[in-house]
Amino acid sequence: MTEFDEALTAFAAEVGTDGPVCVRGGGTRWSLGGEVAPGTREVQAPEGIVAFEPAEMTVRVRAGTPVAGLHEELAGDGQRTALPERAGGTVGGALMAGESSIACLGLGPVRDVLLQARYVCADGRIASAGAGTVKNVSGFDLCRLLVGSLGTLGLVGEVLLRTFPVGETERWVRLAGTDPGAVRSCYTAASVLWDSTDVWILLSGYAVDVDDDLSRLAALGACEDVDGPPELPPHRWACTPAEAAAFDARNGAAGPFVAEIGVGVVHASQPQPFRPVESGVVELNRRFKERFDPTGRLNPGRDPLRKP
Amino acid sequence: MARTLADATRRVLGSRRRGDRAAAVPGADDTDAALVADLVEAIGADRVRADAAARYLASRDASIYKEGNAGPVCYPGSTSDVVECVKVATRHARAVSPRGAGTGLAGGAAPLGQPVVLSMTRMDRLLEIDLDNGVAWVQPGMVNLDLSRALAPHGVHYAPDPSSQAACTIGGNVANNSGGPHCLAYGVTSAHVLAVEVVMSDASVVTLGDLTAEPAGYDLRGAFVGSEGMCGIATAVAVRLTRNPPAVRTMLLSFDDVSDAATTVSAIIAAGIVPAAIEMMDQRCVTAVEDFAQAGYPRDAAAVLLVEVDGPAGGVAIAGERVADIARRNQAISVRTAADDDERARLWKGRKSAFGAVANVMPDYYLHDTVVPRTRLVEVLERIYEIVDRHDLIVLNVFHAGDGNLHPILAYDSRVPGTGERVQAAGREIIEMSLDMGGALTGEHGIGVEKREYMNRMFSAVDLDQQSRLRASFDPHCRMNPGKVLPSAHSCSDIGALRASDAAGVWG
Amino acid sequence: MHLGLDDDELVACVACGLCLPHCPTFVITGRDTESPRGRIALMRAVQNEGAPVTDDLIRSMETCVQCRGCETACPSAVPFGHLMEGTRAALAGAGRITPRWQRLALRTLRHRRLLLAGSTLLALAIRLRLVPTKRLGLPARMPLRRPPLRTSGDDVWLFTGCVMDAWQRDVHLAVQRVLEAAGAGVEPTGGAAPCCGALHIHAGLEAETKAMARRVMDGLSGDDRPILVDAAGCGASLKDYGHLLGTDEARAFSARVFDVHEWLAERLVELRSRRPVDPLDVTVAVQDPCHLRHVQRAHQAVPAVLAPFVADVVALDDDGLCCGAGGAYSVMEAELSRAIRDRKTAAVARSGATVVASANPGCSLHLAAAGLDVRHPLELVDQALSASRS
């Protein structure tokens, strides 16, 4: 058990013990899961990197720290996290939204990035979940529960994240008029995006392997270097990988889209129609909220069941 | 019908002939007879055992904890059998404890308070391979290695590979959030389970998680994995399929000094290389393993590292060379690369039989599973040898060095008076030292009953209160595998289910 | 009840569970009571903790096939076979297992003439359809007449045993021809060594087994010729006399015993150099008898010897899991035995082979009763040799 640092205790004091309260990060996904109830007090999580240990491949960082700034710091040692970079987006915001980077295929999902969380509970006390190591199964897995919870169970102040070495070579390429399934033979593909005609691929790894995959792609069709991924339409659809790969045929209502092949997320022009959730799951969500935040003061109005 | 049922119940409870005193079977009183009759009626006589031998064996796992006390043992064949068992147990105010292959090392499967034990071994089918979604649906009793074997024709595998993978079940892996050597690069069970069908404590059936990347609502799947059977009974699991890597290189690095091996581990990670696995064994362990596996481990080295890199061929060659360079710079006395799949398989067989092979040294062992920052391995190992020497014990070190997950095995002979106390004392010191280094209590074996009372050392009262809320959200009445994980002050106080569990006689 | 088990052997199990997937009864039932680890725990409970010997505990011991597949899987080298034999001896001694009729039946095996005559009667009864062969796991046809055994030299003994000699003498003759083709003069043991005692030790009849072992040793003493065995169960039994009797003489005797494939694998050059051989046009699946694979650990000799004489030898993918025959097990525990066999026949079907080679008569009868074409490996070799001879 550790003493919590000043920034964290100050954050807890600010959150206090009663009254509705919400945390503002970069505001990039502010409306996810519903608008915050009117009259809710707004607080901000502390900011700053506490400790980066490249040889441990972990970084301890405060939740209010912008992801881009964090990654800049980590890049000095050739590392990064699996968190997505959005203009102004914070570490805490990315974790609470729970939406993975478009390079999820290579980096893994956001839900696996959180090793330890120090957060303010509904009663204003600070709890610590997880451990300071890269592996841990001591007790129940509150870290997994917190990711994607939109700050409705606890307000995260400081976290320990897993980091990864950045690939020796990273290249975005575009392949015109290809079946995205054919691209899956590329082992170094960290992202495969498909808009029903073209395929964008992020190759990441040792140069020699990336070159191998490039020649594999070139055999499939016209392949050109591009600066990055295509512009993503604003609405995020939750699909299975099979649904994403067959997206075009089934969803005229989505408008122009970009599908993450092998992952399942589809970025569409129109919002996703409601996907029914089984009643047992709804009931469990209700029980979790009730147990962790009996008075409903944490981020009132938000509900992870209403994502995306 | 009534008569048949009575006959079946008598059969299930065990014969009363030849003075096999019913009284010698604790709990096999009238209450149990009614419970057993209901279980038999619900799922059939051939799926229920309540005799002393069956209950004795269902009371233990592979840990040294021997105080478990099973009620009737059921072998459900379907989700609806599980539902029926939970209903019957609830009607009789009994808890339910699930059980896989019983290879756990922390007493997680040791039932407390004579619950109805659900042995999931009969639900061992592979339900579906869904290559389009990259998942397979399996029943919880399926053996981990059987799953990967069944997947092999499709060029994919199930990545978490605990050392007990030849015997342990997927359900048990889910309960413990099991790890294994290859979790260094691929992640533990939680990262490979997409959805779980669960029978809840109220006998309802709920699917947690789904095949989409980000299911709506809280990550109940993530909260369930690793909950040691206390949040419900998994009856079907959707596991992620991992592509077989195009190339694999397995290297055996030998050292004259344990510290050199440990330094090499930290240096590999610090160089930005994430091998698929980095395993370490010290000399005593190598000797025990080699006696069984004859894998060609060098008996004269003070420590060996088993390092595997995988991925596309080019990168594997580069990473392999870098690892070899780092090892040589750290005084490796030999660097050997497995020539073929056969040699590779033998090396891994040796590593994975290490716990069992300890019996070649001493008849009993007690091990911990703490995790320490991998940059502090040298220091930690020195401390472990010092602690063990001071308590006049023998230690074999074999562990997942790459992620700092220690397995110091204290080998002893429980028949020698006073040894048990020394083993406990040394174990406690190892745990406290690991936690003081910024470590964790357990990396993959779970808390079970064995490490329950250490939870206070790692977590504050507030932390534990949060954990018990997670548990209570799933199971408000503490009916599922009660008495595990949380220290007594934080577990359910309302344990009508946790009846007095005094073991009466050896068949307790 | 003290089971008379060696305490060091009994404590050697650390309950790791690696034996479970290699135990045919656990694989079928999924119950700890039918697993090696569970059985050992129960032995301990009885011997060390004074637990009562209940009928259920006895069932747990009786359902063990004694295949010893757990031994090869055990990293702690627990001698499970010894523990189970010791337990059964104690239980049989207390009259808790092996009923009187079974003891009587086993006693006939020691009396060669009685056995041969009885077998002829049985063969006749089968011809007349007086015996439900399928239900009893008996072969659908048995020889009414047996060609005589003959001696061709004094290089090696060929151990002929009891039931196998009565029911499958053709196999002995084929084996003898193959040995002769490899240049050895063969003397069949016949009445000199009537029965190895394997079934008796399985049934817990320790004293009888010891007497039979002494008789076999007496019959084959006087020289130090290798004793070749074409039945894996008998070979394992003879090789264990050293441990069973614990005398130097018995250990020296056991050292003379070889499985016939083990011996031939060293002499493949001689066997093949006599004349060119056309391999038989069959795909053969090799079934590893447990007493060859787990006890003698000599199973790799079978495909080595067989390969040059058939088109293709395929291995089964079931890790050498027992076929469920287990000597008298297929009769005593018919239901479990058949369930275990079903897994084996499924493995054979997966292999695509049309013929199964089994180096143990018990396995071969048991598998043949499931409708498989089962041959002794050396019958196939003999067939290939004689085809080229003609």
Side-chain angles (χ1 to χ4, degrees), chain B residues 11 13-15 17-18 20-21 24 46 49 51-54 56-58 60-62 75 99 101-103 119 121-122 124 143 149 163-167 288 292 349 352-353 355-360 362-365 415 506-507, chain C residues 7-8 11-22 26-35 37-39 41-42 44-46 49-58 60 71-77 95-96 317 319 343:
Chain B
R11 224 170 28 244
L13 272 174
S15 151
R17 288 185 297 129
R18 298 182 196 155
D20 296 345
R21 314 148 296 164
D46 57 335
R49 286 278 299 265
D51 58 271
Y56 179 78
L57 297 179
R60 48 193 60 217
D61 56 14
Y75 304 86
R99 173 182 180 82
T103 56
S119 174
T121 47
R122 290 299 75 203
D124 62 349
V143 170
R149 283 183 179 171
S163 295
S164 56
Q165 72 176 142
F292 166 65
K349 184 184 179 190
K352 290 189 175 181
S353 58
F355 292 170
V358 175
N360 298 322
M362 283 282 179
D364 299 287
Y365 72 80
R415 295 171 295 182
V506 278
W507 282 140
Chain C
D7 192 44
D8 284 333
V11 297
C13 171
V14 294
C16 70
L18 289 181
C19 54
L20 299 177
H22 300 275
F26 179 79
V27 166
I28 296 295
T29 67
R31 291 193 294 246
D32 293 286
T33 41
E34 275 96 49
S35 75
R37 178 178 72 169
R39 289 173 177 126
L42 294 175
R44 276 190 202 171
V46 170
E49 299 167 37
V53 178
T54 62
D55 286 358
D56 299 291
L57 182 137
I58 289 174
S60 166
E71 282 190 18
T72 35
C74 178
S76 305
R96 301 293 298 269
D317 62 1
D319 275 339
R343 292 181 67 98

